[in-house]
Amino acid sequence: MAAEDLPSEFDVVILGTGLAESVVAAACSRVGQRVLHVDRRSYYAANWASFTFNALLTWIQEIQAESLSEEVQDRSSLVEEGEELIYLSGSDSASISNLQVFCYVSEEAEEEEEPANTTEEEEAGAAGEGAAKEPSETESAGSKEEEAGEAAEGDEQAAQEQGEEPKADQPQPSAPPSQSEPTRKKISYTQLVKEGRRFNIDLVSKLMYSRGSLVDLLIKSNVSRYAEFKNVTRILTYRHGSVEQVPCSRADVFASRQLSVVEKRKLMRFLTSCVEETEEHQAYNGRPYLEFLREQQLGDNLQHFLLHSIAMVTEDTLTKVGLASTRHFLRCLGRYGNTPFLFPVYGLGEIPQCFCRMSAVFGGIYCLRHSVSCLIVDKDSNRCKAVIDSRGQRISCSHFVVEDGFVGADRKVATPTRLLSRAVLITDASVLPGDSEQQVSLVTVPPTDGRPAVNMVELSPSTMTCIPGTYLVHLTCQSVGSAYEDLSPVVTRMFCMAECQDEENRPAVLWCLYFNMADGSGVEPEGHDLPSNVYVCSGPDGALGHEHAIKQAESIFLKILPEEEFCPPAPNPEDIIYDGENTSPTSIGEEEEEEGLTAAGGEGEEKQQEQQEEETSLQPEE
Amino acid sequence: MAGGSVSECKEYLFKVLVIGELGVGKTSIIKRYVHQLFSQHYRATIGVDFALKVINWDSKTLVRLQLWDIAGQERFGNMTRVYYKEAVGAFVVFDVTRGSTFDAVSKWKHDLDSKVKLANGNPIPSVLLANKCDQKKENSNNTALMDNFCKETGFLGWFETSAKDNINVDEAARFLVENILANDKGLPYEESNGDRIKLDQETVAAESKSGCC
């Protein structure tokens, strides 16, 4: 907590705590590099962060206030002969745009038992209280943009008239038979704020393929010890105005009630035939996957499932790509559950922090609210030899890794800026109520009327991302227009916004947020107008999985340390066991000891087995 | 719960945080408590997340205590959520010979309470350790002051400890664990989280038996 000076020499300095940067930090610390990892923000994980409800309100406020970047300070006095400066950009506010907030629940506290006292999150406290206490003066205007604060009020550009008038009362559709409580509970805005700390709302929405590169890396590096996961339990699709379950595992196919016996047989045969590439497949390689599917005489149902929910591609995707994607899906099935996907408990924002923790455990130094203002470049070699931090300290380093947003536009290779459209909804019921209230679902919404395909992830409270009685719904697509333009049609079709006596029994949206985020998939680590030992990490991309960031991190690591292993397993602290009575250690003690931990003592193994009984333990392939 | 084979032995796994300024003896306390060791030479702990202490609490209760040191590297006060999450107790340590480390105690306590809470929303039980009491200069008696400070700041209590002379370390730990157990009201660890998945290295069993198609 003390404001000490940082050491003045590191091997690798990293600015930005997004996923790729954090993986690079962990990988470098792990093999003994001295790492300084800083972020200008007050929170970890950059645009990969997850927030409590209150912290999200603060984040929204900050974006809307468009915090001006600090004045560029002249640092030329710190430059020595033969050196020149490259100034970095002070803020990355450009990565988020078109932010809009709508609230459809009463902002008045029904039972004012105690003042909206939010000691929870210091930063968030202010926003939370402001919002909660602000009376909803006018029902329409007051309930959008309610996220409070002077900033929001002054900022009219975001406000957009909605058809419905948000009202206090909640719709009370009849509950599914299995629900224990006969009616849904009303949840007020005050309650959302009061229990705000129990939300973990991600800025990005992704899932982890159970055999994807992120899961493999978590297992291989032992960073997995810092997190737990939930299976995505269902894959759903939106079709003909309703939500249907996509049968994807063998068990699903047999249990499916929507499929005829003939369809079941066809689907099984098709999926089996996909696993190995055949000559027939090759013949279609250059033609659209849809054509290939049509040729298989599968029928509309199956074709829809296979194209949109299993391959998750569009109608013009080539067969080669469609089949590869289908195979990946099938390979990931059944490793941990009935779908190919996992989701981290407490949200995706945990993942970069897990890598940061690993880096810290191996000596990485962490500072938030701390930035790098410029680089010192050696003119002769065109290498970055030091950085100057936001306090004006000169810190020498051999490599510098930086989040895309901090690199000035003039230094970057001009790439067309693509955007992602995002929506985050807090709803009061599942889009497809089932036997369990704790389903985690991926919903694929095929493209319609020139609007792109939308991936929707519905999280139940079991993921520790929302409070009981609510669901957290994330929507993502490649943007065509603003996030609101792209996604609100889907939201309007699938949810009801206010007090609607909804005959279709759709879930009600309590609160929602739309925004656009820059799509990181176009940014390359190298090739910019930057010194050769400076590497750029892109922000989140629009794909469902994490392959982009993980591949990028690995390639940056291999450029920095071509001879070293990428994220070898860290020793397991549980292997260092000292029994209460028996003072002799069972194994290892030396810090250098890294390998050979497989020879853990008997107690360690016992422990493993016990764990197995409680939890589905997972196994890597050997 | 695991260990159904052994009659009614209850097992608990508790994550306990050890926080405080740099050099107050966090690592030494852990080493003393867990490993029965003390070294004059401070060495930043590299590569170890936490130390595990197994306590046979009574004939029916086994407690596994994970003591999480802040990596000295997180000394600028920016711990990840990974560090805090699901902790059920904490020691906040200061050095009696350095007043500034005591001044930082309330900051640490505040940080702790803002970042982690029990399921019921209460702060996690925490105990204040006045470490290096073997080096205390004058024999001042601050008991009343300290009791009052604990009350105001929300500590369950405080102990004068010395990792070097092994004073009060076990007592403080016992005191904290008692309070954690009292909070726990007989809920074995993770009973409610049964279907969470851990991804681990070791277990190489039923991989993909349930394969799909």
Side-chain angles (χ1 to χ4, degrees):
Chain A
M1 299 233 124
E4 313 162 56
D5 267 351
L6 289 165
S8 58
E9 204 184 323
F10 287 91
D11 297 312
V12 184
V13 173
I14 302 175
L15 172 59
T17 49
L19 180 58
E21 299 92 311
S22 303
V23 172
V24 174
C28 292
S29 303
R30 181 66 189 84
V31 296
Q33 296 284 298
R34 294 164 302 165
V35 171
L36 172 65
H37 197 177
V38 299
D39 200 317
R40 203 181 68 94
R41 304 166 182 89
S42 57
Y43 52 87
Y44 278 98
N47 278 348
W48 304 79
S50 51
F51 294 113
T52 64
F53 188 64
N54 307 316
L56 182 66
L57 297 179
T58 306
W59 178 83
I60 290 168
Q61 232 177 324
E62 279 169 8
I63 299 280
Q64 289 184 331
E66 267 183 82
S67 58
L68 299 168
S69 47
E70 316 122 54
E71 262 176 64
V72 177
Q73 295 201 25
D74 184 15
R75 300 292 190 196
S76 42
S77 60
L78 292 159
V79 175
E80 290 161 19
E81 184 133 356
E83 297 174 348
E84 62 182 356
L85 285 178
I86 293 179
Y87 285 93
L88 294 179
S89 157
S91 89
D92 72 324
S93 55
S95 63
I96 306 289
S97 53
N98 301 324
L99 195 136
Q100 286 170 262
V101 179
F102 302 88
C103 181
Y104 301 100
V105 286
S106 166
E107 288 178 53
E108 278 156 59
E110 278 121 61
E111 352 90 278
E112 194 78 64
E113 321 122 55
E114 47 182 301
N117 153 23
T118 46
T119 42
E120 290 113 6
E121 300 279 318
E122 33 178 347
E123 320 95 308
E129 275 183 50
K133 284 180 183 159
E134 206 162 87
S136 47
E137 326 87 293
T138 73
E139 275 188 321
S140 53
S143 23
K144 315 170 221 191
E145 297 311 307
E146 84 304 329
E147 74 293 339
E150 306 68 35
E153 277 164 23
D155 193 349
E156 282 310 314
Q157 48 95 12
Q160 186 155 347
E161 277 307 316
Q162 270 250 318
E164 305 90 333
E165 282 240 302
K167 285 208 190 116
D169 291 346
Q170 282 308 294
Q172 307 230 332
S174 61
S178 59
Q179 261 178 319
S180 44
E181 282 180 299
T183 47
R184 293 188 205 156
K185 265 201 198 144
K186 269 201 264 183
I187 289 177
S188 68
Y189 187 76
T190 317
Q191 206 173 340
L192 294 182
V193 172
K194 203 167 142 197
E195 300 205 50
R197 69 175 190 90
R198 297 170 71 189
F199 284 93
N200 281 296
I201 303 172
D202 289 315
L203 295 184
V204 294
S205 177
K206 287 178 175 291
L207 296 175
M208 297 163 60
Y209 279 93
S210 67
R211 290 181 201 278
S213 43
L214 176 56
V215 168
D216 288 349
L217 179 61
L218 285 167
I219 292 175
K220 168 185 148 146
S221 62
N222 271 341
V223 171
S224 60
R225 74 165 73 123
Y226 299 130
E228 290 180 304
F229 302 86
K230 297 295 278 191
N231 275 311
V232 172
T233 54
R234 307 183 295 189
I235 296 186
L236 309 176
T237 189
Y238 185 74
R239 207 170 158 235
H240 304 320
S242 67
V243 177
E244 292 174 24
Q245 181 157 0
V246 177
C248 49
S249 71
R250 187 187 291 269
D252 283 353
V253 173
F254 286 121
S256 170
R257 268 168 283 169
Q258 311 120 265
L259 298 182
S260 69
V261 178
V262 177
E263 281 177 319
K264 287 180 185 183
R265 208 176 297 142
K266 277 185 180 170
L267 182 59
M268 289 308 295
R269 200 192 309 133
F270 178 82
L271 292 176
T272 313
S273 76
C274 274
V275 178
E276 296 293 330
E277 186 164 34
T278 64
E279 277 180 28
E280 192 197 1
H281 296 159
Q282 283 165 359
Y284 275 90
N285 266 350
R287 291 157 66 189
Y289 189 46
L290 183 62
E291 256 179 53
F292 173 72
L293 290 177
R294 284 201 180 119
E295 201 61 31
Q296 311 298 311
Q297 314 280 339
L298 295 160
D300 280 352
N301 266 341
L302 297 183
Q303 197 171 293
H304 176 100
F305 293 155
L306 287 165
L307 189 72
H308 299 295
S309 306
I310 292 179
M312 286 181 274
V313 296
T314 57
E315 301 198 340
D316 47 11
T317 305
L318 294 180
T319 302
K320 192 185 167 87
V321 178
L323 279 171
S325 173
T326 305
R327 282 189 203 112
H328 186 44
F329 184 102
L330 295 175
R331 263 200 311 278
C332 293
L333 269 181
R335 185 177 199 190
Y336 302 128
N338 262 345
T339 76
F341 305 109
L342 294 173
F343 186 83
V345 176
Y346 297 108
L348 290 162
E350 290 295 287
I351 302 295
Q353 296 196 59
C354 292
F355 285 97
C356 290
R357 169 74 188 174
M358 181 61 84
S359 173
V361 165
F362 281 90
I365 290 188
Y366 278 79
C367 280
L368 298 180
R369 300 180 191 88
H370 198 108
S371 192
V372 168
S373 54
C374 45
L375 314 182
I376 295 176
V377 182
D378 180 74
K379 283 183 190 162
D380 292 336
S381 61
N382 189 33
R383 286 178 71 83
C384 170
K385 56 197 283 197
V387 300
I388 295 172
D389 75 0
S390 42
R391 294 186 195 155
Q393 188 185 345
R394 180 177 167 132
I395 297 167
S396 64
C397 62
S398 316
H399 299 276
F400 180 64
V401 180
V402 58
E403 175 189 326
D404 168 42
F406 292 107
V407 179
D410 51 325
R411 293 269 167 190
K412 276 189 277 193
V413 178
T415 41
T417 329
R418 283 193 294 171
L419 296 177
L420 304 174
S421 285
R422 290 272 295 116
V424 178
L425 323 177
I426 299 172
T427 69
D428 72 340
S430 173
V431 290
L432 186 64
D435 303 338
S436 158
E437 286 169 33
Q438 300 297 344
Q439 302 273 9
V440 180
S441 315
L442 167 67
V443 191
T444 56
V445 184
T448 41
D449 318 327
R451 289 211 175 77
V454 174
N455 276 335
M456 181 190 289
V457 175
E458 184 188 75
L459 303 169
S460 65
S462 66
T463 58
M464 308 299 274
T465 58
C466 55
I467 58 176
T470 66
Y471 288 80
L472 189 60
V473 181
H474 287 280
L475 292 91
T476 315
C477 70
Q478 291 289 336
S479 75
V480 175
S482 74
Y484 182 83
E485 289 161 0
D486 289 343
L487 296 171
S488 66
V490 174
V491 172
T492 319
R493 265 185 282 150
M494 298 180 65
F495 301 88
C496 63
M497 296 308 134
E499 182 196 15
C500 51
Q501 293 308 329
D502 197 33
E503 67 290 344
E504 292 171 68
N505 213 359
R506 296 173 301 177
V509 177
L510 310 178
W511 183 92
C512 73
L513 161 69
Y514 293 93
F515 62 93
N516 288 101
M517 184 187 280
D519 179 347
S521 60
V523 181
E524 293 296 322
E526 288 186 305
H528 306 276
D529 179 17
L530 289 166
S532 58
N533 58 342
V534 172
Y535 312 91
V536 177
C537 290
S538 59
D541 63 323
L544 188 58
H546 294 78
E547 324 302 308
H548 179 75
I550 302 303
K551 291 218 168 75
Q552 189 170 62
E554 183 166 9
S555 85
I556 290 173
F557 174 81
L558 290 173
K559 273 169 201 145
I560 297 174
L561 298 159
E563 308 290 309
E564 294 284 353
E565 188 183 347
F566 180 60
C567 294
N572 184 355
E574 305 244 341
D575 294 341
I576 314 166
I577 294 187
Y578 296 79
D579 194 272
E581 271 77 62
N582 175 8
T583 52
S584 68
T586 8
S587 85
I588 78 157
E590 285 311 304
E591 295 143 15
E592 287 73 30
E593 190 103 30
E594 286 158 15
E595 313 303 329
L597 287 165
T598 39
E603 289 181 70
E605 276 160 35
E606 257 172 51
K607 174 103 191 13
Q608 281 308 324
Q609 294 197 341
E610 288 162 13
Q611 273 189 347
Q612 242 177 24
E613 289 168 36
E614 292 169 62
E615 294 158 354
T616 331
S617 284
L618 306 175
Q619 304 83 33
E621 296 147 288
E622 281 309 307
Chain B
M1 190 58 204
S5 48
V6 194
S7 59
E8 281 148 45
C9 186
K10 267 191 181 162
E11 262 192 54
Y12 296 90
L13 179 59
F14 293 139
K15 174 173 174 178
V16 169
L17 309 177
V18 184
I19 56 184
E21 295 290 273
L22 191 66
V24 296
K26 298 182 292 294
T27 309
S28 298
I29 288 174
I30 294 174
K31 287 225 165 108
R32 167 58 77 188
Y33 180 58
V34 176
H35 309 166
Q36 275 81 43
L37 299 170
F38 180 80
S39 161
Q40 295 283 358
H41 306 289
Y42 176 80
R43 198 149 54 142
T45 344
I46 295 286
V48 180
D49 263 307
F50 56 79
L52 184 69
K53 170 90 171 181
V54 182
I55 311 167
N56 292 310
W57 189 256
D58 58 33
S59 60
K60 285 185 177 168
T61 319
L62 187 76
V63 174
R64 289 172 193 273
L65 212 55
Q66 281 185 352
L67 292 154
W68 285 59
D69 207 341
I70 63 173
Q73 301 73 25
E74 288 169 300
R75 64 170 178 260
F76 295 93
N78 298 310
M79 261 81 66
T80 50
R81 263 189 44 137
V82 173
Y83 178 74
Y84 286 107
K85 79 176 166 192
E86 291 177 356
V88 295
F91 290 114
V92 180
V93 188
F94 72 97
D95 173 351
V96 293
T97 66
R98 285 190 295 146
S100 64
T101 65
F102 178 72
D103 299 339
V105 165
S106 13
K107 264 191 293 173
W108 283 106
K109 179 68 166 69
H110 180 79
D111 190 52
L112 175 72
D113 291 346
S114 71
K115 293 203 170 128
V116 60
K117 284 188 164 65
L118 296 174
N120 62 14
N122 290 337
I124 64 170
S126 55
V127 171
L128 183 59
L129 302 184
N131 195 36
K132 305 195 188 176
C133 68
D134 54 290
Q135 295 176 41
K136 210 164 78 170
K137 285 172 199 125
E138 76 278 36
N139 206 358
S140 58
N141 195 342
N142 291 333
T143 309
L145 267 172
M146 285 293 286
D147 285 346
N148 200 34
F149 176 80
C150 285
K151 218 175 190 179
E152 277 172 12
T153 337
F155 286 103
L156 294 173
W158 63 284
F159 288 82
E160 277 192 335
T161 54
S162 164
K164 183 166 168 257
D165 296 348
N166 198 12
I167 301 170
N168 270 345
V169 177
D170 284 356
E171 287 77 1
R174 176 155 277 272
F175 178 70
L176 181 62
V177 172
E178 270 169 11
N179 278 282
I180 296 171
L181 281 167
N183 273 330
D184 217 76
K185 296 238 173 69
L187 254 187
Y189 175 69
E190 296 234 311
E191 191 164 68
S192 52
N193 307 330
D195 59 342
R196 288 191 191 173
I197 294 170
K198 297 282 288 178
L199 313 176
D200 8 88
Q201 285 262 330
E202 291 85 354
T203 32
V204 194
E207 164 86 5
S208 81
K209 264 183 202 157
S210 58
C212 60
C213 311

